[in-house]
Amino acid sequence: MAKVRTRFAPSPTGYMHIGNLRTALYTYLIAKKHKGDFILRIEDTDRERFVEGATEVIYKTLRDCGLNWDEGPDVGGDYGPYIQSERMGMYKEYAEKLVETGDAYYCFCDKTADDDSEENKPSGAASLNRCGCRDCSLEDAKKRIADGAVPVIRQKIPTEGTTTFHDEIYGDITVDNADLDDQVLLKSDGMPTYNFANVVDDHTMGITHVVRGNEYLSSAPKYDLLYAAFGWQPPVYIHVEHIMKDAQHKLAKRDGDASFQDLITKGYMTEGILNYILLLGWAPKGEQEIFSLDEMIEAFDLDGISKSPAIFDGLKLKAINAQYVRALPLEKYMEYAEPYIRQTAKREGIDIKELCSVLQPRTEVFTDIPEQVDFIDVLPQYDLELYTSKKMKTNPETALVALGKILPVMESLDSFDHDTVHDALFKLIETEGVKNGYILWPLRIALCGKQVSPGGGVELAVILGKDETIARIKKGIELLEAAK
């Protein structure tokens, strides 16, 4: 068996849509599963949709995800160039070979469109883009070219018989040749169409396996006819189903649906995104759902790819991401979290490590953080009824008493680390002979003015530091006394 060589061939038209990233991931996994090569090829011939800087986005996204390529535009290789616009010289030669063998023809129709759009079909053409140019002699066609006519080159599909191709997901598929259209291979300006360039590039780069969306299933028999015309071995086809936003609508880049960059901006981890994308259309054999990249390589197989569309489930993505966030070592979590903390908590002197230790179990995506820490810089104007808790058996009157006892304890502390604050407060609880909540609930409300906070009274005090803790306890006492 030839060495497995797979390729990811994106167009630089903007951000990396998750459907494209899934294709890249599956393509990478197939190569690495079989100790093969993963090739990056940039297909930049659609100049109307080209976006400046998009190639760099492709590089960065793949590298961030760990999908490092063995050959490509920036690393070189024996099969370059790896940017399609730099390969222009070969397509005309290959297209003209097909004309010489009778597997393609020059089409001169006035309304021939390079893109075969419906409104620009050849004169007198049926829906299959076939016309009288098919039957012109090559000698006559060359004479017209010599006289200044500028044709396109079309594939000459047999009008009878069938073509059968094999797909690893869908099995053998047979189509009637009479249902296939004479697609344009080379445009009048000498540029290849997407379908033709793919066949030539894949063969000349030695690609053995091609992963693509199943919208290309209808083109596969035409590809196979091209391979047969050249006498080439077609690659192994793996057509994958769409990713859907719901049961009726595809997740589409043009509709602004999720790109990798969008998800990173929304606070997701690269590892969580990649793990979720793995499962969008592929099912592992066991119960495991969380996979490192190395584990993906080991577990991935084509049998697990589904024939049914995958529904993008934001809740599932968030749940997977949360597992990655909570598995981080605290120091690493701090690196991720601090920029989000500083969006709303710019106060100097807060204990970031203590804050992160209570935030981490409460973080699913990093954009959860700013709202949780917005009390640090500015204590909100809170409703004194927050001091009422049936569970803790507290109310504004008992809270005023509790804060009055907490204040001198906090003022007396020389050290304000977690253990010291904890021990002091729990000694007070023991001395007073009360439930924990009787002391800790009023302290929580006084320090953050919120019913839900990252951590309890001990953690909040340590996070804010001694001076701010004392100031907020005094403020709480002042508000409660004024309300009596």
Side-chain angles (χ1 to χ4, degrees):
M1 179 180 175
K3 184 177 185 180
V4 169
R5 289 174 57 82
T6 67
R7 52 78 168 168
F8 178 53
S11 298
T13 55
Y15 291 130
M16 179 81 77
H17 182 255
I18 63 165
N20 288 345
L21 185 56
R22 183 186 66 171
T23 298
L25 175 61
Y26 288 4
T27 302
Y28 174 87
L29 295 177
I30 291 168
K32 297 309 165 185
K33 176 88 172 183
H34 297 283
K35 314 298 183 189
D37 293 329
F38 174 58
I39 292 92
L40 175 62
R41 183 173 76 225
I42 302 297
E43 299 192 340
D44 64 339
T45 52
D46 187 347
R47 303 312 292 179
E48 290 184 2
R49 297 176 62 225
F50 178 81
V51 174
E52 194 68 41
T55 300
E56 287 67 33
V57 170
I58 293 168
Y59 292 162
K60 185 177 189 311
T61 301
L62 294 180
R63 286 202 176 100
D64 286 349
C65 292
L67 307 182
N68 299 311
W69 48 101
D70 301 291
E71 300 171 25
D74 57 337
V75 300
D78 296 333
Y79 296 83
Y82 295 92
I83 295 179
Q84 201 169 65
S85 60
E86 297 175 8
R87 299 171 63 84
M88 287 296 103
M90 69 175 69
Y91 303 115
K92 185 173 186 293
E93 176 187 346
Y94 280 109
E96 289 179 343
K97 281 182 181 179
L98 293 179
V99 174
E100 295 291 335
T101 60
D103 296 292
Y105 60 95
Y106 294 111
C107 181
F108 299 91
C109 295
D110 291 340
K111 291 183 70 63
T112 289
D114 288 339
D115 61 358
D116 281 342
S117 54
E118 187 65 33
E119 67 273 18
N120 287 305
K121 293 189 180 301
S123 302
S127 61
L128 299 178
N129 287 314
R130 292 178 181 154
C131 66
C133 296
R134 281 176 60 103
D135 303 318
C136 291
S137 71
L138 182 55
E139 182 181 0
D140 287 344
K142 288 183 176 180
K143 185 175 183 304
R144 293 183 66 177
I145 294 170
D147 290 339
V150 181
V152 299
I153 294 179
R154 287 186 178 275
Q155 185 175 5
K156 193 172 187 179
I157 302 288
T159 56
E160 298 178 348
T162 61
T163 296
T164 299
F165 70 95
H166 180 79
D167 178 82
E168 291 296 298
I169 310 304
Y170 293 90
D172 289 337
I173 298 176
T174 299
V175 298
D176 291 326
N177 291 331
D179 293 333
L180 302 176
D181 69 316
D182 284 1
Q183 64 180 347
V184 172
L185 304 180
L186 201 71
K187 302 177 186 180
S188 57
D189 61 2
M191 293 285 282
T193 57
Y194 171 84
N195 288 325
F196 185 55
N198 261 263
V199 169
V200 173
D201 288 342
D202 286 344
H203 173 74
T204 55
M205 289 185 173
I207 302 303
T208 62
H209 294 66
V210 171
V211 181
R212 58 183 169 227
N214 69 356
E215 66 268 28
Y216 291 103
L217 271 173
S218 61
S219 297
K222 292 182 282 188
Y223 296 156
D224 266 21
L225 286 169
L226 287 173
Y227 280 105
F230 283 121
W232 297 340
Q233 175 69 34
V236 175
Y237 296 132
I238 302 110
H239 289 88
V240 294
E241 265 287 0
H242 299 299
I243 299 175
M244 309 289 286
K245 64 193 304 182
D246 55 43
Q248 286 79 39
H249 303 95
K250 287 193 297 182
L251 202 66
K253 182 177 178 179
R254 64 178 176 273
D255 295 331
D257 290 328
S259 72
F260 174 78
Q261 288 75 15
D262 292 333
L263 295 176
I264 292 295
T265 300
K266 290 175 181 177
Y268 290 87
M269 288 180 62
T270 297
E271 294 85 348
I273 298 169
L274 202 65
N275 196 143
Y276 178 65
I277 289 174
L278 169 73
L279 303 175
L280 275 176
W282 178 79
K285 285 186 167 62
E287 298 299 316
Q288 182 178 354
E289 278 196 329
I290 303 302
F291 295 86
S292 67
L293 190 54
D294 285 342
E295 288 172 332
M296 292 181 196
I297 294 169
E298 181 67 25
F300 190 78
D301 57 34
L302 300 181
D303 292 341
I305 296 178
S306 174
K307 294 181 183 178
S308 301
I311 304 294
F312 185 86
D313 183 346
L315 293 177
K316 179 72 170 179
L317 169 61
K318 189 172 282 190
I320 287 176
N321 194 75
Q323 293 191 58
Y324 278 92
V325 172
R326 291 163 190 172
L328 289 169
L330 181 57
E331 297 296 327
K332 190 66 178 176
Y333 175 85
M334 289 169 63
E335 291 179 24
Y336 278 103
E338 187 159 6
Y340 293 91
I341 293 170
R342 290 306 184 185
Q343 287 180 24
T344 54
K346 297 178 172 61
R347 178 193 298 275
E348 295 299 324
I350 62 173
D351 191 322
I352 293 290
K353 187 171 184 178
E354 181 76 17
L355 177 57
C356 285
S357 70
V358 294
L359 283 174
Q360 188 169 8
R362 296 168 171 82
T363 303
E364 291 183 310
V365 293
F366 289 106
T367 46
D368 292 340
I369 292 173
E371 187 178 0
Q372 295 190 63
V373 301
D374 58 1
F375 69 92
I376 290 176
D377 280 7
V378 180
L379 180 66
Q381 292 184 346
Y382 57 88
D383 187 339
L384 295 183
E385 279 305 308
L386 286 176
Y387 284 106
T388 300
S389 170
K390 291 182 180 179
K391 181 179 179 181
M392 305 297 177
K393 296 184 170 49
T394 65
N395 56 50
E397 290 76 18
T398 62
L400 179 58
V401 173
L403 292 178
K405 294 181 180 297
I406 293 169
L407 179 59
V409 172
M410 296 294 99
E411 290 176 326
S412 69
L413 297 179
D414 294 326
S415 174
F416 218 73
D417 59 79
H418 185 280
D419 288 346
T420 302
V421 173
H422 176 276
D423 291 348
L425 286 170
F426 276 82
K427 183 177 180 182
L428 174 63
I429 290 166
E430 183 181 356
T431 300
E432 294 296 320
V434 293
K435 298 286 187 181
N436 295 351
Y438 183 90
I439 295 294
L440 298 181
W441 182 259
L443 179 60
R444 176 204 291 261
I445 301 303
L447 295 185
C448 74
K450 301 172 105 178
Q451 194 165 24
V452 178
S453 62
V458 173
E459 292 84 7
L460 295 178
V462 176
I463 290 163
L464 292 169
K466 181 176 180 178
D467 291 345
E468 185 65 17
T469 294
I470 289 170
R472 293 192 181 195
I473 293 171
K474 287 180 176 179
K475 180 68 174 177
I477 291 170
E478 178 187 330
L479 292 172
L480 289 166
E481 285 182 336
K484 282 200 307 184

